[in-house]
Coordinates of all heavy atoms in Angstrom, one line a residue:
E1 N -24.5 -68.7 61.4 CA -25.2 -69.4 62.4 C -24.6 -70.8 62.8 O -24.5 -71.1 64.0 CB -26.7 -69.6 62.0 CG -27.5 -68.4 62.0 CD -29.0 -68.6 61.6 OE1 -29.3 -69.8 61.3 OE2 -29.7 -67.6 61.4
V2 N -24.1 -71.5 61.8 CA -23.5 -72.8 62.1 C -22.0 -72.7 62.2 O -21.3 -73.7 62.4 CB -23.9 -73.8 61.0 CG1 -25.4 -74.1 61.0 CG2 -23.4 -73.4 59.6
Q3 N -21.5 -71.5 62.1 CA -20.0 -71.2 62.3 C -19.2 -72.0 61.3 O -18.2 -72.5 61.7 CB -19.6 -71.3 63.7 CG -20.3 -70.4 64.6 CD -19.8 -70.4 66.1 OE1 -18.8 -71.2 66.4 NE2 -20.3 -69.6 66.9
D4 N -19.6 -72.1 60.1 CA -18.8 -72.7 59.1 C -17.9 -71.7 58.4 O -18.2 -71.0 57.5 CB -19.7 -73.4 58.0 CG -18.9 -74.3 57.1 OD1 -17.7 -74.0 56.8 OD2 -19.5 -75.4 56.7
H5 N -16.7 -71.6 59.0 CA -15.8 -70.5 58.6 C -15.3 -70.6 57.2 O -15.0 -69.6 56.6 CB -14.6 -70.5 59.6 CG -15.1 -70.2 61.0 ND1 -15.5 -69.0 61.4 CD2 -15.2 -71.0 62.1 CE1 -15.9 -69.0 62.7 NE2 -15.7 -70.3 63.1
G6 N -15.1 -71.8 56.7 CA -14.7 -72.0 55.3 C -15.7 -71.4 54.4 O -15.4 -70.7 53.4
Y7 N -17.0 -71.7 54.6 CA -18.1 -71.1 53.8 C -18.2 -69.6 54.0 O -18.5 -68.9 53.1 CB -19.4 -71.8 54.0 CG -19.5 -73.1 53.3 CD1 -19.4 -74.4 53.9 CD2 -19.7 -73.1 51.9 CE1 -19.5 -75.6 53.2 CE2 -19.8 -74.3 51.2 CZ -19.7 -75.5 51.8 OH -19.8 -76.7 51.1
I8 N -18.0 -69.2 55.2 CA -18.1 -67.7 55.5 C -17.1 -67.0 54.6 O -17.4 -66.0 54.0 CB -17.9 -67.4 57.0 CG1 -19.1 -68.0 57.8 CG2 -17.7 -65.9 57.2 CD1 -18.9 -68.0 59.3
S9 N -15.8 -67.5 54.6 CA -14.8 -66.8 53.8 C -15.1 -66.9 52.3 O -14.9 -65.9 51.6 CB -13.4 -67.5 54.1 OG -13.0 -67.2 55.5
M10 N -15.5 -68.1 51.9 CA -15.9 -68.2 50.5 C -17.0 -67.3 50.1 O -17.0 -66.7 49.0 CB -16.2 -69.7 50.2 CG -16.6 -69.9 48.7 SD -15.4 -69.4 47.5 CE -14.4 -70.9 47.5
L11 N -18.0 -67.2 50.9 CA -19.1 -66.3 50.6 C -18.7 -64.8 50.5 O -19.2 -64.1 49.7 CB -20.3 -66.5 51.6 CG -21.1 -67.8 51.3 CD1 -21.9 -68.2 52.5 CD2 -22.0 -67.6 50.1
H12 N -17.8 -64.4 51.4 CA -17.3 -63.1 51.4 C -16.5 -62.9 50.1 O -16.6 -61.8 49.5 CB -16.4 -62.7 52.6 CG -17.3 -62.3 53.8 ND1 -17.9 -61.1 53.9 CD2 -17.5 -63.0 54.9 CE1 -18.6 -61.1 55.0 NE2 -18.4 -62.2 55.7
L13 N -15.7 -63.9 49.7 CA -15.0 -63.8 48.4 C -16.0 -63.6 47.3 O -15.8 -62.7 46.4 CB -14.1 -65.0 48.2 CG -13.5 -65.2 46.8 CD1 -12.6 -64.1 46.5 CD2 -12.8 -66.5 46.7
L14 N -17.0 -64.4 47.2 CA -17.9 -64.4 46.1 C -18.7 -63.1 46.1 O -19.0 -62.5 45.1 CB -18.9 -65.6 46.2 CG -18.2 -66.9 45.9 CD1 -19.2 -68.1 46.2 CD2 -17.7 -67.0 44.5
L15 N -19.1 -62.6 47.3 CA -19.8 -61.4 47.4 C -18.9 -60.2 47.0 O -19.4 -59.3 46.3 CB -20.3 -61.2 48.9 CG -21.3 -60.1 49.2 CD1 -22.5 -60.1 48.3 CD2 -21.7 -60.2 50.6
G16 N -17.7 -60.3 47.4 CA -16.7 -59.2 46.9 C -16.6 -59.2 45.4 O -16.6 -58.2 44.8
R17 N -16.5 -60.4 44.8 CA -16.4 -60.5 43.3 C -17.6 -60.0 42.7 O -17.5 -59.2 41.7 CB -16.2 -62.0 42.9 CG -14.8 -62.5 43.2 CD -14.7 -63.9 42.8 NE -14.9 -64.1 41.3 CZ -15.0 -65.2 40.7 NH1 -14.9 -66.4 41.4 NH2 -15.3 -65.3 39.4
A18 N -18.8 -60.3 43.2 CA -20.0 -59.9 42.6 C -20.1 -58.3 42.7 O -20.5 -57.7 41.7 CB -21.2 -60.5 43.2
L19 N -19.9 -57.8 43.8 CA -20.0 -56.4 44.0 C -18.9 -55.6 43.2 O -19.2 -54.5 42.7 CB -19.8 -56.0 45.5 CG -20.9 -56.5 46.4 CD1 -20.6 -56.4 47.9 CD2 -22.2 -55.7 46.1
H20 N -17.8 -56.2 43.0 CA -16.7 -55.6 42.1 C -17.3 -55.5 40.7 O -17.2 -54.5 40.0 CB -15.4 -56.4 42.2 CG -14.4 -55.9 41.3 ND1 -14.0 -56.5 40.2 CD2 -13.6 -54.7 41.4 CE1 -13.0 -55.8 39.6 NE2 -12.8 -54.7 40.3
E21 N -17.8 -56.6 40.2 CA -18.4 -56.6 38.9 C -19.6 -55.6 38.7 O -19.8 -55.1 37.6 CB -18.8 -58.0 38.5 CG -17.6 -59.0 38.3 CD -18.0 -60.4 37.9 OE1 -19.2 -60.5 37.4 OE2 -17.2 -61.3 38.0
L22 N -20.2 -55.4 39.8 CA -21.4 -54.4 39.8 C -20.9 -53.0 40.0 O -21.7 -52.1 40.0 CB -22.4 -54.8 40.8 CG -23.1 -56.2 40.6 CD1 -23.9 -56.5 41.8 CD2 -23.9 -56.1 39.3
G23 N -19.6 -52.8 40.2 CA -19.1 -51.4 40.3 C -19.0 -50.9 41.7 O -18.7 -49.7 41.9
D24 N -19.4 -51.7 42.7 CA -19.3 -51.2 44.1 C -18.0 -51.6 44.7 O -17.9 -52.6 45.5 CB -20.5 -51.8 44.9 CG -20.6 -51.2 46.3 OD1 -19.7 -50.5 46.8 OD2 -21.7 -51.4 46.9
F25 N -16.9 -50.9 44.3 CA -15.6 -51.2 44.7 C -15.3 -51.2 46.2 O -14.5 -52.0 46.7 CB -14.6 -50.4 43.9 CG -14.8 -50.4 42.4 CD1 -14.8 -49.2 41.7 CD2 -15.1 -51.6 41.7 CE1 -15.0 -49.2 40.3 CE2 -15.3 -51.6 40.4 CZ -15.3 -50.4 39.6
D26 N -15.9 -50.2 46.9 CA -15.6 -50.1 48.3 C -16.1 -51.3 49.1 O -15.4 -51.9 49.9 CB -16.2 -48.8 48.9 CG -15.5 -47.6 48.3 OD1 -14.3 -47.7 47.9 OD2 -16.1 -46.5 48.3
Q27 N -17.4 -51.7 48.8 CA -18.0 -52.8 49.5 C -17.3 -54.1 49.0 O -17.1 -55.0 49.8 CB -19.5 -52.9 49.1 CG -20.3 -51.9 49.9 CD -20.4 -52.2 51.4 OE1 -20.6 -53.4 51.8 NE2 -20.1 -51.2 52.2
A28 N -16.9 -54.2 47.8 CA -16.1 -55.3 47.3 C -14.8 -55.5 48.1 O -14.5 -56.6 48.5 CB -15.8 -55.2 45.8
C29 N -14.1 -54.4 48.3 CA -12.8 -54.5 49.0 C -13.1 -54.9 50.5 O -12.3 -55.7 51.0 CB -12.1 -53.2 49.0 SG -11.2 -52.9 47.4
D30 N -14.2 -54.4 51.1 CA -14.5 -54.8 52.4 C -14.7 -56.3 52.6 O -14.2 -57.0 53.5 CB -15.7 -54.0 53.0 CG -15.4 -52.6 53.2 OD1 -14.2 -52.2 53.2 OD2 -16.4 -51.8 53.3
H31 N -15.5 -56.8 51.7 CA -15.8 -58.3 51.7 C -14.5 -59.1 51.4 O -14.3 -60.2 52.0 CB -16.9 -58.6 50.8 CG -18.3 -58.2 51.3 ND1 -18.9 -58.9 52.3 CD2 -19.1 -57.2 51.0 CE1 -20.0 -58.3 52.6 NE2 -20.2 -57.3 51.9
L32 N -13.8 -58.7 50.4 CA -12.5 -59.4 50.1 C -11.5 -59.4 51.2 O -10.9 -60.4 51.5 CB -11.9 -58.8 48.8 CG -12.8 -59.1 47.5 CD1 -12.3 -58.2 46.4 CD2 -12.8 -60.6 47.2
K33 N -11.4 -58.3 51.9 CA -10.5 -58.2 53.1 C -11.0 -59.2 54.2 O -10.2 -59.8 54.8 CB -10.4 -56.8 53.6 CG -9.7 -55.8 52.8 CD -9.8 -54.4 53.4 CE -9.3 -53.3 52.4 NZ -9.5 -52.0 53.0
F34 N -12.3 -59.2 54.3 CA -12.8 -60.2 55.3 C -12.5 -61.6 54.9 O -12.1 -62.4 55.8 CB -14.3 -60.0 55.5 CG -14.9 -60.6 56.7 CD1 -15.0 -59.9 57.9 CD2 -15.3 -62.0 56.7 CE1 -15.5 -60.5 59.1 CE2 -15.8 -62.6 57.8 CZ -15.9 -61.9 59.0
A35 N -12.7 -61.9 53.7 CA -12.4 -63.3 53.1 C -10.9 -63.6 53.3 O -10.5 -64.7 53.7 CB -12.8 -63.4 51.7
L36 N -10.1 -62.6 53.1 CA -8.6 -62.8 53.2 C -8.2 -63.1 54.6 O -7.5 -64.0 54.9 CB -7.9 -61.5 52.7 CG -6.4 -61.6 52.7 CD1 -5.9 -62.8 51.8 CD2 -5.8 -60.3 52.2

């Protein structure tokens, strides 16, 4: 909403990490690619 792109990328990284640890590898990769 506030278009804070640094936080958007960081949140996608963290979401990817969390989903990876939870075993959802496909969603994790999607979020990590977005962060990248």
Side-chain angles (χ1 to χ4, degrees):
E1 285 177 6
V2 297
Q3 296 187 1
D4 192 324
H5 299 287
Y7 279 107
I8 291 170
S9 294
M10 178 59 83
L11 285 161
H12 277 288
L13 168 62
L14 294 171
L15 191 49
R17 286 181 59 190
L19 292 168
H20 179 253
E21 289 181 21
L22 295 171
D24 190 345
F25 306 135
D26 294 334
Q27 285 291 312
C29 282
D30 290 344
H31 284 285
L32 291 167
K33 288 177 192 176
F34 195 92
L36 183 60

